[in-house]
Amino acid sequence: MSKDMISVPDPSLEQLSRIYSGKLLLRNEILLEDNLLRQLLHEKQFRPIKSIVKKNFTRQCQRCGNQKASLFATIPCFLCKQTHFYCRKCIEMGRVLECEPLYVWSGDKTKWPQQENPCSWRGELTPAQQQAANQMVMAVVNHDKELLIWAVCGAGKTEMLFPGINQALQLGKRVCIATPRADVVRELFPRLVSAFESVPIQALYGGSNTEEAAAQLIIATTHQLLRFQEAFDVVIIDEIDAFPFHADPSLLFAAERSKVPQSTMIYLTATPRKVHRKRISRKKLPHVFIPVRYHGHPLPVPKIKMCFSLKRELLHNKPPRPFIQWVRQRNNPERQLLIFVPTIVIAEKLKSPLACMFNKEGIIDAEESLTSVHAADENREEKVQQFRRKEFRVLLTTTILERGVTFPSVDVAILDAGHPVFDEAALVQIAGRAGRSVDDPTGEVMFFHDGRSEAMDRAITSIKLMNRRGGFS
Amino acid sequence: MNCIWCDADIIPQVNWGNLFVLEKPKLLCPVCEGKLDKIEGKRCVRCSRRSADKVCSDCQWWEEKEGERIIEFNYSIFSYNEMMKDMIAKWKYRGDYYVGEAFKHSFITAYHEKFAFLKKNAVVVPIPLSTRRLKERAFNQAKMLADFLPVETIEALCRTHGEKQSKKSRMERIYADNPFFIEESINKSVILVDDIYTTGTTLRHAAKLLRDHHCPEIYALTLVRG
């Protein structure tokens, strides 16, 4: 974060409140000069709170909620000349030192304007989308605490949020959409801007240079919620089942803290985890289920294919034989091909043998039409964009592309689908990459394995179940 | 114990070697430790760079330019690979002090292997940070490394505030003015300690100043050869 101080020489309390109310910040995240901050503290506009609090036998970081002993360490601090604790868990967001407080705005809260006609999106929702949208509008109006929207991959989740967001903005509420990955923030931001032209919107993610975060509608990565406290009237959490959210307790902690006491949480998911399914079946969690895709076609059901020497072939960087056979006789060879593998190492090693094989089979005309992406790949955004523009015919990927990305016309194959990284949720999501567009609403999904895993069975059962509930037999 | 880097549990393996004699607990898990690249085999005797020549071309260039050898030699332990880049970034720039502990054992071992001949007559001088940078980071990573060693540490140097070394080009670094000034002259052998040796300019600046103030011989021990 740069050290540029606020440009207005004497910012009014109103301006300050707009920027700082609802935040929980470190000193260096507050872009005010020392004198001004001291004065504001004296006037009780800001309130310092202790950053690391002792609790019986543990301590807790007040920013990320971390209580794990191995994620605290001591530092002989130059600033206070004492050795004290700091939090290692949220250090990527700036270091929380025990000797430095966190600051919250305790002056008047900003009153967000009641936007008159915020939604400039003129598209139409399908009946199924409309039903979910209505439920969300009701939840917002009635200040319901929670609502889970369970929509299959490709149901058009973003659009069905618009009426609810519209309603919230009309009521003068502040709205935040939190999503696990920066890629998705970057993809959704322009869509939101064009759907709500008259409303100030900001996108927050690591490296996004939006320092003030003073917009009424915010789209952020879930990590960014760590900087907020009692800020939002409506919090929409995208992909509640996705990796960081369901694995990292501090994100739930942050999401809970970022909302005002009387607020609405909306969860979006295509594959709810057990916790949520349990609460749904006990009727403890209000939910709405959308089993059909926006184009009205059923989800492609994965086919499974046994490969007896899969492990050995992968070890020798050879594509499995049944996979080659399938590639030869795909229903629609015009489609691009998305191939998932369990690890980065396999993705890297299998790249050139696969390219060679595809070239020989005449499926691609040059070996350069195949590429691989994974989390450690610097050019991954660029490559995904190129694949979308059809500059590549085949894309070899790890689970990073399992969700959030849409390619219009692809066939999907998983090599070693029995690998533990492919859990039920991941398999359902991967299968959901196929058949996303109206022009090509079907697609083949193949699981190549050397022993059926429970996750594969459950994924297929749940896809079939969703199709049945969507009225397809 | 949990791994300093990835926080995974480290489960000690019991074997005949450690059954009766307690080993020091591991600070990095085997996976993370494996990603670090220790410099082994042939290296330049002056700067520790991997090199087939006895003295690498860089060091020959320095010697021609300066006409004398200011630093007897520099010894570095690791190469600057991706893993090390990430670790240094988190340790230094994010300020995760504890990450430095991961290097403690290798740093002390290197001292005993390469500087034992100095006995206890040498002192350690860490490369300082400017006060402003020290306020930002709350600790000096070179001082942390220096304090690991079983000899006296003297903070003999100070530094004026300037742009970060890592933001400059090679030539800018080599021809920059000396950013250090001396607080205390030392008339014993000195081991300069820093985290990274990249072009060697920083260490040479520091060494030059010490030399001008009657220091007899100067060595360098750095964690990483960039």
Side-chain angles (χ1 to χ4, degrees):
Chain A
M1 195 164 281
S2 83
K3 289 281 175 304
D4 299 333
M5 298 297 154
I6 273 186
S7 49
V8 194
D10 203 9
S12 69
L13 281 179
E14 211 174 309
Q15 282 168 319
L16 288 172
S17 159
R18 202 178 161 86
I19 299 170
Y20 294 112
S21 74
K23 301 273 178 65
L24 180 71
L25 296 174
L26 290 168
R27 174 63 188 94
N28 63 11
E29 293 168 334
I30 300 174
L31 308 176
L32 300 174
E33 280 172 34
D34 282 343
N35 288 337
L36 183 55
L37 180 64
R38 212 171 302 135
Q39 191 197 334
L40 289 169
L41 279 166
H42 184 73
E43 290 167 4
K44 303 237 156 57
Q45 301 292 345
F46 271 109
R47 182 163 53 90
I49 62 166
K50 227 175 150 0
S51 54
I52 295 178
V53 173
K54 273 202 200 92
K55 275 190 168 182
N56 300 329
F57 297 104
T58 56
R59 43 184 57 77
Q60 186 179 38
C61 168
Q62 293 303 294
R63 184 169 64 174
C64 70
N66 167 34
Q67 295 195 41
K68 199 173 172 191
S70 70
L71 292 176
F72 284 103
T74 54
I75 176 171
C77 177
F78 173 79
L79 304 168
C80 66
K81 313 287 183 222
Q82 276 172 354
T83 296
H84 58 66
F85 284 93
Y86 69 97
C87 177
R88 300 186 64 216
K89 168 104 195 194
C90 56
I91 200 158
E92 293 294 329
M93 310 271 299
R95 183 176 51 192
V96 175
L97 289 169
E98 197 177 9
C99 69
E100 278 185 343
L102 292 162
Y103 295 94
V104 290
W105 180 258
S106 53
D108 290 333
K109 293 227 161 182
T110 302
K111 217 165 157 3
W112 296 96
Q114 301 191 348
Q115 305 279 353
E116 247 167 50
N117 221 336
C119 190
S120 43
W121 184 71
R122 293 284 168 265
E124 247 180 60
L125 296 174
T126 65
Q129 285 177 318
Q130 192 62 53
Q131 187 202 346
N134 291 346
Q135 287 251 16
M136 181 175 157
V137 171
M138 291 307 290
V140 169
V141 173
N142 299 339
H143 301 288
D144 288 349
K145 270 180 88 93
E146 291 174 303
L147 173 69
L148 182 136
I149 300 180
W150 179 356
V152 295
C153 304
K157 271 180 290 220
T158 314
E159 286 78 19
M160 68 179 92
L161 295 176
F162 291 165
I165 296 174
N166 184 47
Q167 183 68 51
L169 294 173
Q170 279 180 350
L171 293 170
K173 289 172 189 273
R174 194 178 193 194
V175 181
C176 177
I177 304 173
T179 176
R181 286 189 333 216
D183 302 356
V184 181
V185 175
R186 279 190 291 259
E187 193 180 308
L188 285 188
F189 180 59
R191 286 167 71 183
L192 278 176
V193 170
S194 62
F196 296 93
E197 280 168 352
S198 59
V199 185
I201 307 177
Q202 276 171 337
L204 307 180
Y205 50 90
S208 71
N209 292 332
T210 330
E211 282 159 15
E212 290 177 353
Q216 188 170 0
L217 177 54
I218 281 186
I219 171 153
T221 52
T222 32
H223 279 98
Q224 296 292 325
L225 293 179
L226 287 177
R227 297 209 173 104
F228 290 91
Q229 173 166 314
E230 299 196 4
F232 303 109
D233 303 284
V234 177
V235 181
I236 300 163
I237 298 178
D238 190 18
E239 312 268 21
I240 184 82
D241 61 302
F243 158 70
F245 213 92
H246 114 104
D248 187 347
S250 69
L251 296 179
L252 199 64
F253 175 87
E256 281 296 323
R257 186 184 58 203
S258 73
K259 57 183 198 183
V260 300
Q262 207 185 42
S263 61
T264 309
M265 280 266 225
I266 311 282
Y267 307 119
L268 297 178
T269 175
T271 42
R273 300 263 170 190
K274 225 182 202 162
V275 237
H276 292 117
R277 270 194 243 172
K278 241 183 210 161
R279 288 183 58 207
I280 288 171
S281 63
R282 287 183 191 150
K283 302 212 178 348
K284 288 274 164 64
L285 178 63
H287 83 290
V288 47
F289 181 64
I290 301 118
V292 270
R293 295 185 143 185
Y294 79 97
H295 53 49
H297 290 263
L299 297 162
V301 179
K303 292 203 187 79
I304 56 177
K305 191 86 195 156
M306 182 76 178
C307 309
F308 287 100
S309 47
L310 181 86
K311 287 266 163 23
R312 187 154 34 104
E313 279 165 324
L314 286 183
L315 196 67
H316 296 289
N317 307 323
K318 273 195 275 181
R321 204 165 312 151
F323 171 71
I324 303 175
Q325 278 162 4
W326 171 72
V327 165
R328 281 184 190 142
Q329 46 193 342
R330 284 192 298 156
N331 298 338
N332 182 354
E334 286 303 298
R335 287 189 197 125
Q336 286 175 293
L337 186 55
L338 195 56
I339 304 167
F340 285 85
V341 290
T343 65
I344 295 178
V345 182
I346 297 181
E348 281 291 305
K349 284 194 174 157
L350 211 55
K351 187 175 150 187
S352 55
L354 266 184
C356 189
M357 189 256 322
F358 277 110
N359 201 9
K360 233 190 286 170
E361 296 286 333
I363 291 163
I364 54 178
D365 32 17
E367 293 196 7
E368 288 76 49
S369 319
L370 180 146
T371 192
S372 67
V373 288
H374 48 76
D377 190 339
E378 284 171 12
N379 308 324
R380 83 177 207 228
E381 274 169 53
E382 182 58 32
K383 282 181 180 170
V384 171
Q385 285 302 330
Q386 282 174 307
F387 186 68
R388 206 169 278 161
R389 290 197 300 263
K390 309 211 166 167
E391 286 168 30
F392 296 118
R393 292 283 300 146
V394 185
L395 188 63
L396 190 60
T397 174
T398 59
T399 50
I400 57 154
L401 291 190
E402 80 179 32
R403 53 179 85 221
V405 285
T406 310
F407 305 110
S409 175
V410 290
D411 281 333
V412 181
I414 307 181
L415 302 183
D416 198 4
H419 193 283
V421 300
F422 297 117
D423 58 13
E424 182 191 338
L427 290 170
V428 173
Q429 290 282 358
I430 289 172
R433 298 306 103 202
R436 293 295 283 255
S437 78
V438 196
D439 302 323
D440 186 14
T442 54
E444 287 179 72
V445 181
M446 297 297 294
F447 292 173
F448 294 95
H449 67 100
D450 61 349
R452 236 157 69 188
S453 66
E454 216 176 301
M456 285 161 60
D457 282 342
R458 271 188 279 138
I460 292 168
T461 323
S462 100
I463 289 172
K464 283 183 178 158
L465 182 72
M466 281 192 257
N467 278 343
R468 206 159 346 146
R469 286 181 67 172
F472 309 99
S473 55
Chain B
M1 281 298 289
N2 297 65
C3 172
I4 285 184
W5 186 246
C6 68
D7 200 46
D9 273 319
I10 301 175
I11 301 150
Q13 300 285 322
V14 178
N15 56 34
W16 290 112
N18 64 12
L19 187 56
F20 301 110
V21 186
L22 264 184
E23 265 186 347
K24 277 219 166 114
K26 285 250 181 237
L27 296 173
L28 286 178
C29 69
V31 179
C32 293
E33 199 165 5
K35 287 187 197 157
L36 289 174
D37 174 32
K38 267 202 174 171
I39 301 174
E40 275 156 354
K42 286 207 164 161
R43 59 166 89 192
C44 168
V45 291
R46 301 266 194 278
C47 72
S48 239
R49 183 161 79 157
R50 276 201 178 103
S51 148
D53 302 327
K54 198 159 174 252
V55 176
C56 72
S57 54
D58 269 14
C59 292
Q60 284 172 10
W61 182 85
W62 274 114
E63 266 164 44
E64 255 168 50
K65 179 172 176 267
E66 283 166 342
E68 56 165 349
R69 203 190 302 157
I70 309 176
I71 299 174
E72 301 298 321
F73 65 81
N74 163 66
Y75 186 81
S76 304
I77 303 159
F78 298 101
S79 77
Y80 201 38
N81 62 358
E82 282 305 311
M83 176 70 172
M84 188 48 97
K85 249 179 220 169
D86 293 346
M87 286 185 87
I88 295 271
K90 193 160 191 198
W91 180 35
K92 223 161 104 167
Y93 303 128
R94 302 263 90 121
D96 196 350
Y97 181 83
Y98 188 55
V99 170
E101 293 286 329
F103 308 124
K104 185 174 182 176
H105 185 69
S106 339
F107 207 70
I108 296 175
T109 315
Y111 168 80
H112 284 304
E113 279 173 11
K114 299 295 161 187
F115 294 94
F117 68 92
L118 289 170
K119 305 268 164 36
K120 298 268 166 184
N121 299 324
V123 294
V124 178
V125 176
I127 296 295
L129 291 178
S130 67
T131 316
R132 190 164 137 200
R133 192 117 298 143
L134 196 52
K135 271 190 184 151
E136 266 169 41
R137 294 192 190 157
F139 73 98
N140 174 0
Q141 72 283 355
K143 171 93 169 24
M144 182 177 184
L145 290 172
D147 288 341
F148 289 153
L149 303 180
V151 276
E152 189 190 0
T153 304
I154 299 179
E155 293 183 79
L157 300 170
C158 282
R159 187 182 204 150
T160 50
H161 186 78
E163 211 184 340
K164 280 182 193 161
Q165 283 284 16
S166 51
K167 297 262 162 81
K168 293 183 199 161
S169 76
R170 183 176 171 85
M171 281 302 140
E172 276 171 7
R173 294 169 75 145
I174 290 174
Y175 291 105
D177 290 334
N178 195 329
F180 300 110
F181 49 94
I182 200 153
E183 290 255 290
E184 181 180 347
S185 54
I186 301 171
N187 54 8
K188 283 188 193 170
S189 299
V190 162
I191 304 171
L192 283 170
V193 166
D194 202 359
D195 50 348
I196 308 185
Y197 180 111
T198 312
T199 59
T201 314
T202 309
L203 288 165
R204 279 188 170 77
H205 278 315
K208 199 144 201 200
L209 208 57
L210 288 168
R211 163 71 65 86
D212 291 347
H213 288 79
H214 319 297
C215 179
E217 49 180 3
I218 299 157
Y219 304 86
L221 176 55
T222 48
L223 187 68
V224 181
R225 180 65 175 90

